Amino acid sequence: MHQSYLEMKKQFHTLLLLFISSLMLSQQKIHTVLAKETLYGLSKKYNVSIDDLKKVNPQLNNRTLQIGEILTIPDEKATSKANEYSNSNAITNIQNSDDAQNINYFFITIEPKQTLYGLSKKYHTSIKTIQSLNPNMSKEGPKIGEVLKIPKNSSSENSNTYSHVYSENKHDKENSNINDSNSKEEINVKDKRESDLANDTKLQNSKNENFENQNNQEIDDLNKKQSDENVQIPVAKNQTENIANYELKKDGINVVLFLPLHTGESSINAERRIATQFYSGAKTALDSLSNKGKKIHVRIFDTSNDNKFREIIDTYDFSNTNLIIGPLFKSNLLTIADKIKKIPIISPFSSSDDLDEHGNLILYNTKDQILVEKLTDEILKKYSGEKMYILYDEEHFKTAEFLQSLIKDKKSNAEVVLTKNADDIKSDQNLVTDEYNKIYAILISTQNSIITKYLDSITKLESNQIQPISLFYSPLFDNKKYEEKLLNFGLLYLDTNYVNEFGFNEQKMINLYKKKYCNFPDKYAITGFDVTYDILSRVDEKGNLSNSMMKAESKQVSNKYSFRKINKNGAWVNQEARIIQLLK
């Protein structure tokens, strides 16, 4: 049978590209990346272009160099000759001719180290689709220089979905059961505190870029751990069957995770850093729960592109999803909460009042209202008629008013003074005994300038004259200038991010994290662990959340959690916080 002109052109094209590839692969060198080396430096050292380095090391198209990485260096002369051929009109004309005659697909030429999985991810299509369009391709995968058809409705951008199944027997059992022991909650003696500020400093001093690369590589590798059938994610319901969801509904807990990962971008911005840190903590929790026998199916969506995020919400079939963790930021949370009404949606950070009316939202960040209620109960345990000063900033005026009203409701004779001026806080002298009456000095502010004035003011007094109390923790409490005085006073404050590094559960989580990432977990990583571990510990084997499980109290690494409805049909809010008192 005579071959068509088009088939002959394709064969010629393939042979030509094989010849080009053989030129580029001949006499290649190997280079191990050292500290501080760059692609630019290597291109100058070996007299090859950065583009040629990326052609034979395609992983460098999506990330930077990693220390210890082994690179292939193309031979200078062969590369020059290959470029001469690749720029010829013959290839360009064949490509354009094929493209013009086939409106449903386009052609690509296989480069070194490309795989079917990688192509399906890069062009946002399925392995089966590529195989059906290229029936002559080897079952072992495409060969270097081979020309493949790719459907034109696919995208050359990085996929914004990832998938993985967590199940038992995948990890070393000795690392399981992080939260098995029930450590007693207490009003703390002054342990050596590693504050969030210290944690952030440690993170900044670590190799941040390597951490980002490791984390992003893990996310990219999630799909590889599933079968080919589970890799395909539909863009819209009417385009293709969602085989992955069909598999997920058989058993286990189905979780969707929304994170602004900014995949495919080389720069590291604030959103991406928060997301990758959060994911690293969540991954540690998922591994631990997996070791304990929980089977969890996780689907990750990149929410950094608003248009794609809305497209996901409109087109993805959430019918088999048991839980949604994220998005991390309020605007996206409101978007998804308005669209999806029946699936529990976990908010790790946002707890503002405009989220309260969504009955399926679970707010993990303890609201100021709840903190005030807990603080009021704690203050009144030992209250015996002392005068109270509440120092506040403009942002927390309503919170200060709420605290004043709660105290007055329970102790109608209490004298409670609201002030924005720290100098107003003074101990009253008893005119009969000449002794000073003890006062309560309550701080409701997160502004360092006001906190400093508060601390400067109260530390002029003696310990028998004042009881300092704060609604929030501040790193300034650990400042050497104030530390001794605050210990003598017995400063009392609430904290939702306290990590006791000497606690059994805390040490276990931190050690697991450091073993995996070679870093101390920062506050976002710890939140990722706490939120993921806690909510997945509350669901039953079918992925359901009962009211009794929501109300049960649990203690994680940085906070305690139990939930109540903010109103009859409103969101679930965390009603816990650690109450900490500094004592010698």
Side-chain angles (χ1 to χ4, degrees):
M1 292 180 65
H2 293 288
Q3 290 179 311
S4 69
Y5 174 67
L6 182 60
E7 288 297 322
M8 291 176 66
K9 283 201 299 183
K10 284 185 191 175
Q11 286 186 5
F12 172 73
H13 186 198
T14 302
L15 290 171
L16 186 59
L17 287 169
L18 281 171
F19 171 64
I20 292 169
S21 297
S22 67
L23 282 175
M24 292 192 69
L25 290 171
S26 65
Q27 302 178 0
Q28 289 178 334
K29 304 171 187 175
I30 299 298
H31 176 86
T32 302
V33 177
L34 304 176
K36 299 184 179 180
E37 285 190 319
T38 64
L39 271 177
Y40 175 78
L42 292 176
S43 71
K44 294 299 181 185
K45 179 177 180 178
Y46 292 105
N47 200 21
V48 295
S49 71
I50 292 176
D51 286 341
D52 289 335
L53 283 171
K54 288 184 175 181
K55 283 179 183 177
V56 293
N57 300 279
Q59 74 275 15
L60 299 179
N61 288 314
N62 298 317
R63 62 167 174 79
T64 58
L65 294 175
Q66 296 184 15
I67 297 172
E69 181 177 10
I70 297 175
L71 299 182
T72 301
I73 308 296
D75 178 72
E76 175 191 351
K77 293 180 180 178
T79 301
S80 176
K81 195 68 175 176
N83 287 337
E84 181 182 329
Y85 277 102
S86 65
N87 290 330
S88 68
N89 289 331
I91 293 178
T92 304
N93 290 338
I94 292 172
Q95 192 78 23
N96 291 341
S97 173
D98 287 348
D99 227 10
Q101 294 185 40
N102 297 283
I103 61 173
N104 295 322
Y105 54 84
F106 60 92
F107 293 105
I108 63 165
T109 303
I110 300 302
E111 297 178 355
K113 299 185 180 179
Q114 282 190 320
T115 63
L116 263 181
Y117 163 75
L119 294 172
S120 69
K121 179 175 176 295
K122 180 177 181 180
Y123 294 105
H124 204 177
T125 187
S126 69
I127 290 175
K128 286 188 175 180
T129 299
I130 297 174
Q131 289 173 329
S132 66
L133 282 174
N134 301 276
N136 295 326
M137 182 179 58
S138 168
K139 292 181 179 179
E140 283 131 23
K143 306 298 182 184
I144 296 172
E146 186 173 2
V147 179
L148 296 186
K149 293 178 185 177
I150 301 294
K152 273 194 175 179
N153 60 357
S154 64
S155 168
S156 61
E157 299 176 4
N158 286 334
S159 168
N160 66 330
T161 63
Y162 312 88
S163 184
H164 185 43
V165 178
Y166 287 85
S167 58
E168 62 181 332
N169 300 324
K170 285 192 177 182
H171 305 282
D172 190 348
K173 292 290 183 182
E174 68 179 270
N175 289 332
S176 63
N177 304 332
I178 286 182
N179 281 37
D180 282 348
S181 70
N182 295 317
S183 56
K184 184 179 179 181
E185 181 64 22
E186 58 191 18
I187 295 181
N188 283 354
V189 174
K190 174 72 173 177
D191 286 330
K192 180 63 177 174
R193 179 186 177 106
E194 290 289 344
S195 68
D196 289 337
L197 184 63
N199 292 348
D200 288 344
T201 301
K202 289 181 182 180
L203 182 65
Q204 291 301 320
N205 290 336
S206 67
K207 296 178 180 178
N208 281 327
E209 188 171 343
N210 285 343
F211 174 85
E212 297 287 344
N213 288 334
Q214 178 185 355
N215 232 334
N216 289 334
Q217 187 62 46
E218 277 192 15
I219 295 167
D220 288 344
D221 287 344
L222 289 181
N223 275 328
K224 295 180 183 178
K225 297 181 181 179
Q226 287 202 21
S227 63
D228 290 348
E229 288 80 7
N230 279 355
V231 172
Q232 185 173 358
I233 309 295
V235 176
K237 291 179 184 178
N238 61 355
Q239 286 187 357
T240 182
E241 180 185 5
N242 191 346
I243 302 175
N245 273 356
Y246 176 79
E247 294 293 329
L248 293 184
K249 72 179 182 180
K250 289 182 178 178
D251 60 350
I253 304 165
N254 302 327
V255 179
V256 167
L257 187 58
F258 284 108
L259 292 172
L261 294 164
H262 292 266
T263 49
E265 298 179 20
S266 57
S267 60
I268 300 174
N269 59 29
E271 282 190 5
R272 180 179 175 184
R273 184 173 297 285
I274 291 170
T276 52
Q277 292 290 344
F278 184 91
Y279 172 74
S280 67
K283 177 71 163 56
T284 306
L286 290 165
D287 287 343
S288 180
L289 289 164
S290 170
N291 286 327
K292 294 177 73 173
K294 283 223 171 192
K295 191 169 186 180
I296 307 164
H297 309 266
V298 179
R299 177 103 0 162
I300 304 174
F301 287 98
D302 184 351
T303 61
S304 51
N305 183 300
D306 286 341
N307 291 332
K308 285 188 177 180
F309 171 67
R310 291 187 178 90
E311 182 184 355
I312 291 166
I313 302 304
D314 291 336
T315 61
Y316 185 76
D317 183 4
F318 290 95
S319 59
N320 296 318
T321 303
N322 301 116
L323 283 174
I324 297 172
I325 299 178
L328 299 188
F329 307 117
K330 185 176 73 173
S331 58
N332 283 345
L333 264 171
L334 287 169
T335 299
I336 193 171
D338 287 335
K339 185 77 174 179
I340 299 173
K341 305 292 185 182
K342 295 183 179 180
I343 302 170
I345 302 170
I346 315 304
S347 170
F349 300 118
S350 299
S351 58
S352 56
D353 293 344
D354 47 357
L355 297 172
D356 289 351
E357 299 307 312
H358 296 276
N360 59 330
L361 280 181
I362 301 173
L363 312 180
Y364 263 79
N365 189 32
T366 312
K367 296 169 72 73
D368 287 358
Q369 170 190 335
I370 308 296
L371 295 177
V372 169
E373 292 171 2
K374 292 188 74 67
L375 187 63
T376 301
D377 291 341
E378 196 64 29
I379 288 171
L380 297 182
K381 283 180 182 178
K382 298 179 181 179
Y383 175 75
S384 57
E386 293 86 352
K387 184 177 182 178
M388 299 185 196
Y389 291 92
I390 301 177
L391 178 67
Y392 64 92
D393 57 40
E394 284 294 340
E395 181 185 350
H396 293 96
F397 172 62
K398 291 292 185 184
T399 306
E401 277 193 324
F402 181 51
L403 176 58
Q404 182 187 45
S405 67
L406 279 186
I407 294 171
K408 296 286 284 182
D409 284 345
K410 297 184 178 182
K411 298 288 182 180
S412 58
N413 295 327
E415 185 179 2
V416 185
V417 179
L418 296 181
T419 181
K420 292 194 292 183
N421 186 358
D423 293 334
D424 291 339
I425 302 173
K426 296 176 182 177
S427 180
D428 296 331
Q429 189 173 19
N430 190 309
L431 298 178
V432 177
T433 64
D434 286 336
E435 294 179 353
Y436 285 90
N437 297 322
K438 191 169 189 175
I439 61 170
Y440 282 18
I442 305 169
L443 174 67
I444 303 181
S445 178
T446 54
Q447 295 181 14
N448 283 343
S449 59
I450 292 178
I451 298 170
T452 300
K453 290 177 181 178
Y454 169 84
L455 294 172
D456 286 339
S457 179
I458 67 170
T459 50
K460 295 174 183 176
L461 304 176
E462 299 300 323
S463 59
N464 62 341
Q465 298 175 353
I466 190 168
Q467 172 60 62
I469 300 168
S470 180
L471 187 65
F472 310 112
Y473 165 74
S474 168
L476 288 170
F477 298 161
D478 298 323
N479 190 305
K480 290 183 179 179
K481 179 180 178 181
Y482 310 113
E483 187 177 35
E484 189 66 27
K485 274 279 192 178
L486 296 179
L487 280 171
N488 290 334
F489 291 161
L491 170 67
L492 182 74
Y493 61 90
L494 273 61
D495 198 345
T496 59
N497 293 294
Y498 174 66
V499 179
N500 175 17
E501 289 188 52
F502 303 100
F504 176 78
N505 290 331
E506 291 87 344
Q507 278 191 332
K508 199 159 191 178
M509 180 270 173
I510 291 167
N511 289 337
L512 280 177
Y513 188 94
K514 288 169 74 174
K515 182 178 179 181
K516 184 174 183 63
Y517 295 106
C518 303
N519 272 325
F520 190 97
D522 79 345
K523 59 185 177 183
Y524 301 114
I526 288 173
T527 300
F529 176 88
D530 274 8
V531 169
T532 306
Y533 195 100
D534 184 80
I535 195 63
L536 288 171
S537 297
R538 294 178 187 273
V539 299
D540 63 21
E541 59 187 14
K542 295 181 179 179
N544 298 318
L545 272 171
S546 65
N547 287 351
S548 60
M549 284 304 296
M550 288 302 296
K551 294 175 181 177
E553 182 179 314
S554 73
K555 176 174 175 275
Q556 302 300 335
V557 175
S558 65
N559 199 17
K560 298 190 300 182
Y561 302 98
S562 69
F563 297 88
R564 75 176 196 224
K565 283 283 189 181
I566 193 71
N567 54 56
K568 184 178 179 181
N569 298 311
W572 288 95
V573 297
N574 181 30
Q575 58 181 347
E576 299 296 336
R578 282 190 167 97
I579 301 170
I580 298 174
Q581 187 163 25
L582 306 185
L583 299 172
K584 280 191 171 180

